[in-house]
Amino acid sequence: MALRKIREMGEDCLRCTCKEVTELTPRILELIDDMVDTMYDADGVGLAAPQVGVRKRIAVIDVGEGPVVLINPEIIYTEGEQTGMEGCLSVPGKAGQVTRPMKVKVKTRNEAFEWVEIEGEELFARALVHEIEHLDGILYVDRVEGELQSTEEE
Ligand code: NI
């Protein structure tokens, strides 16, 4: 298990447009393993490669049903709307209200580098959109409605 350092808002890597992954090398597989470990260690539901300083189109998500690996993901369909609180491991101690689609369909390569379609609803849909936006340098704070709130206990 190897943990990577989670980058925080203000660092350039969080604002970059990440590059497509062209092949699944041992280095990429190691990165994905480390991202999953780092996500669990930080109690997150998702983590994108730029959050550990790597400018590649890779993200991992676990909303409680096991890890899902996304490589070169694209949103191909959205439906409905949900408004709720959202946070990000790169913006520690904060949360804010964001409106996202209620359902999304994503075309992505999986951990075997095969193209698959993934459908998500509710929290999974929210996580898919949040993580995929990270790959284009977009943070949820760009979309927050009202004020960012502190989640730290006083
Ligand atoms: Ni995030």
Side-chain angles (χ1 to χ4, degrees):
M1 162 154 161
L3 299 180
R4 304 233 178 171
K5 182 174 172 245
I6 297 177
R7 309 307 169 92
E8 296 187 5
M9 192 165 62
E11 297 201 44
D12 291 348
C13 54
L14 291 171
R15 292 305 193 175
C16 70
T17 300
C18 297
K19 293 209 170 106
E20 300 248 320
V21 177
T22 53
E23 63 174 323
L24 211 51
T25 61
R27 225 176 134 193
I28 298 278
L29 288 169
E30 190 185 343
L31 168 68
I32 291 168
D33 277 351
D34 290 354
M35 285 173 59
V36 170
D37 291 342
T38 303
M39 171 179 72
Y40 289 142
D41 183 70
D43 278 328
V45 299
L47 187 71
Q51 293 183 274
V52 294
V54 178
R55 299 173 187 219
K56 291 192 187 299
R57 304 190 79 81
I58 301 172
V60 296
I61 292 175
D62 189 342
V63 291
E65 293 166 4
V68 175
V69 175
L70 308 169
I71 303 172
N72 304 337
E74 282 171 53
I75 294 168
I76 55 173
Y77 176 79
T78 68
E79 189 183 311
E81 227 179 60
Q82 57 174 322
T83 299
M85 294 303 281
E86 198 163 312
C88 179
L89 294 175
S90 294
V91 191
K94 302 282 181 194
Q97 186 167 285
V98 184
T99 299
R100 299 290 194 185
M102 181 53 92
K103 279 190 195 177
V104 301
K105 203 181 277 186
V106 171
K107 183 183 164 208
T108 184
R109 287 190 184 270
N110 64 13
E111 64 278 8
F113 213 54
E114 300 155 342
W115 283 107
V116 292
E117 281 186 17
I118 293 177
E119 284 184 46
E121 287 186 37
E122 299 184 12
L123 177 62
F124 189 30
R126 178 178 293 280
L128 283 163
V129 177
H130 177 118
E131 299 311 327
I132 291 171
E133 286 192 340
H134 267 300
L135 307 180
D136 289 309
I138 301 165
L139 299 176
Y140 85 92
V141 297
D142 304 339
R143 307 210 180 284
V144 82
E145 297 152 23
E147 303 266 310
L148 264 191
Q149 294 171 26
S150 176
T151 58
E152 268 148 28
E153 287 167 40
E154 313 254 313

